[in-house]
Amino acid sequence: MSLSNNRITKLFNIKYPVIQGGMVWCSGWRLASAVSNQGGLGLLGAGSMYPEVLREHIQKMKTATDKPWGVNVPLLYPSIEELMQIIVEEGVKIVFTSAGSPAKWTAHLKQHGITVVHVVANSKFAKKCEDAGVDAIVAEGFEAGGHNGREETTTMALIPIIRKATSLPIMAAGGIGSGEQMLAAMALGADGVQIGSLFALSEESSAHQAFKLHAIRSHEGDTLLSMKKTTPVRLLRNHFFEQVKEAEERGASPEELRELLGRGRAKKGIFEGDIDEGELEIGQVAAMINEIKPVAQIFDDLINSYNGALSNLGKL
Ligand SMILES: Cc1cc2nc3c(=O)[nH]c(=O)nc-3n(C[C@H](O)[C@H](O)[C@H](O)COP(=O)(O)O)c2cc1C
């Protein structure tokens, strides 16, 4: 399976079909430009940026890399209109939308010549993406860090389901931290991969060192899906997680849960490194990440392990 010549590398004009997922408090211009400079596609995570902060990061991106890159916009946050206006004004060429309907913004972005990708966790939304005219889909499974689908479909089951539902190019996301996992996702029908946790824990990620260290020391079972009543999100266990769990178990209302979450919990945990009271978003794959590496090394390891796995399979 050629890594460098498929529908995803052609769509974005990149070397490897490896997308660094947009991630609140992790993926500013430093991480995104490092990924693009290695031949993947770096995405700025607009979800944790005020509009003018996004503009600043876009402008820094333009000087930090001459390779393709994009912006991720979770549609559930406020200031969407302003963020989209800045994206158009600044001439951004690729936008990944998530956490909302693809029908809302796709046509507008495409009118401005922008390539649009939407993140889905089920086949119903994959079909909506096709109707809305998106160029490609990220299919994100239950293992993934951050916000998650209610259906709890794992990547292993989700990719073939989405493959059947649409002919659009697919990037598999959720639980991918090595070339072996990349190859598996592509064997299931994906054209490329979107990786979050592995890059969130890289040197160039803007996450706090305490968050990164806490995550790389975690084991299987240490991340769980939380806040299923409001917006499901995969979190590392900590005091905040236990508070949410206790509230959910005694039947707290969505309003109470939203209040407990408050504003700024993710910033507190991921960016400020408060590992007790913050919201620690990370995927199951954290249990197999034991080191904080620079992006260049992450790419070397991914490509080498992909090629190794491919040749091992050939011997079967
Ligand atoms: C810390 C963190 C923050 C995230 N923030 C966002 C976000 O703002 N927008 C989004 O679409 N996805 C977000 N995600 C999901 C990632 O973009 C990606 O799809 C996911 O992490 C892939 O699964 P993995 O963590 O197993 O690699 C986030 C993930 C993490 C770990």
Side-chain angles (χ1 to χ4, degrees):
M1 249 179 284
S2 165
L3 257 192
S4 293
N5 188 18
N6 71 14
R7 293 203 289 173
I8 292 298
T9 55
K10 283 186 195 146
L11 179 64
F12 301 126
N13 193 23
I14 53 178
K15 188 168 174 199
Y16 302 119
V18 175
I19 316 310
Q20 160 254 306
M23 290 178 287
V24 288
W25 305 113
C26 298
S27 60
W29 69 273
R30 262 197 200 89
L31 175 58
S33 63
V35 169
S36 289
N37 285 333
Q38 288 302 316
L41 186 75
L43 299 181
L44 293 174
S48 49
M49 296 180 187
Y50 289 117
E52 284 313 313
V53 175
L54 174 64
R55 195 192 292 282
E56 204 183 304
H57 279 260
I58 289 175
Q59 289 173 353
K60 287 195 171 138
M61 261 325 256
K62 290 177 183 169
T63 57
T65 184
D66 56 3
K67 301 283 195 304
W69 53 272
V71 177
N72 165 255
V73 187
L75 300 174
L76 53 70
Y77 291 111
S79 322
I80 292 295
E81 314 269 335
E82 281 162 279
L83 292 172
M84 292 299 191
Q85 196 181 332
I86 287 173
I87 282 169
V88 169
E89 277 169 18
E90 291 290 333
V92 172
K93 299 202 168 56
I94 300 167
V95 170
F96 280 46
T97 51
S98 57
S101 168
K104 184 89 202 282
W105 285 98
T106 303
H108 173 78
L109 294 169
K110 293 210 57 97
Q111 268 164 24
H112 289 89
I114 296 172
T115 301
V116 181
V117 176
H118 192 72
V119 183
V120 305
N122 60 45
S123 52
K124 185 173 148 204
F125 267 79
K127 293 211 182 77
K128 282 192 184 181
C129 285
E130 249 184 24
D131 296 343
V134 308
D135 297 285
I137 289 175
V138 171
E140 194 186 59
F142 180 58
E143 302 91 325
H147 292 284
N148 214 297
R150 284 176 201 285
E151 300 82 359
E152 307 194 357
T153 313
T154 60
T155 305
M156 188 81 161
L158 183 67
I159 303 309
I161 292 170
I162 303 282
R163 179 71 296 155
K164 224 172 161 180
T166 177
S167 57
L168 285 171
I170 298 173
M171 287 147 276
I176 299 167
S178 70
E180 288 88 347
Q181 287 158 317
M182 253 175 83
L183 181 62
M186 292 170 85
L188 292 173
D191 303 278
V193 294
Q194 171 166 293
I195 295 179
S197 298
L198 184 63
F199 288 121
L201 304 177
S202 68
E203 267 182 34
E204 289 87 343
S205 155
S206 54
H208 196 282
Q209 188 75 358
F211 167 77
K212 294 181 192 174
L213 289 173
H214 192 60
I216 64 170
R217 289 174 189 146
S218 67
H219 301 284
E220 306 107 280
D222 285 346
T223 73
L224 290 166
L225 197 65
S226 184
M227 287 181 279
K228 290 191 209 170
K229 267 193 178 173
T230 48
T231 40
V233 61
R234 179 170 293 284
L235 299 180
L236 268 172
R237 284 170 194 269
N238 66 352
H239 182 241
F240 168 66
F241 175 93
E242 295 304 332
Q243 278 177 284
V244 174
K245 187 164 166 249
E246 183 276 320
E248 283 183 326
E249 280 170 1
R250 74 176 146 75
S253 65
E255 291 69 38
E256 190 187 335
L257 288 168
R258 259 182 228 114
E259 195 156 312
L260 180 60
L261 176 62
R263 290 183 75 96
R265 278 280 184 174
K267 180 181 187 190
K268 197 179 238 205
I270 303 169
F271 194 64
E272 294 168 358
D274 186 337
I275 57 173
D276 295 320
E277 296 302 331
E279 184 186 336
L280 307 177
E281 299 184 18
I282 205 76
Q284 287 185 343
V285 79
M288 59 174 263
I289 302 171
N290 307 310
E291 220 185 314
I292 299 166
K293 295 188 222 166
V295 165
Q297 195 187 331
I298 290 178
F299 265 84
D300 277 356
D301 293 350
L302 278 176
I303 305 310
N304 288 336
S305 57
Y306 177 93
N307 288 330
L310 190 58
S311 85
N312 282 342
L313 277 186
K315 292 179 203 143
L316 286 181

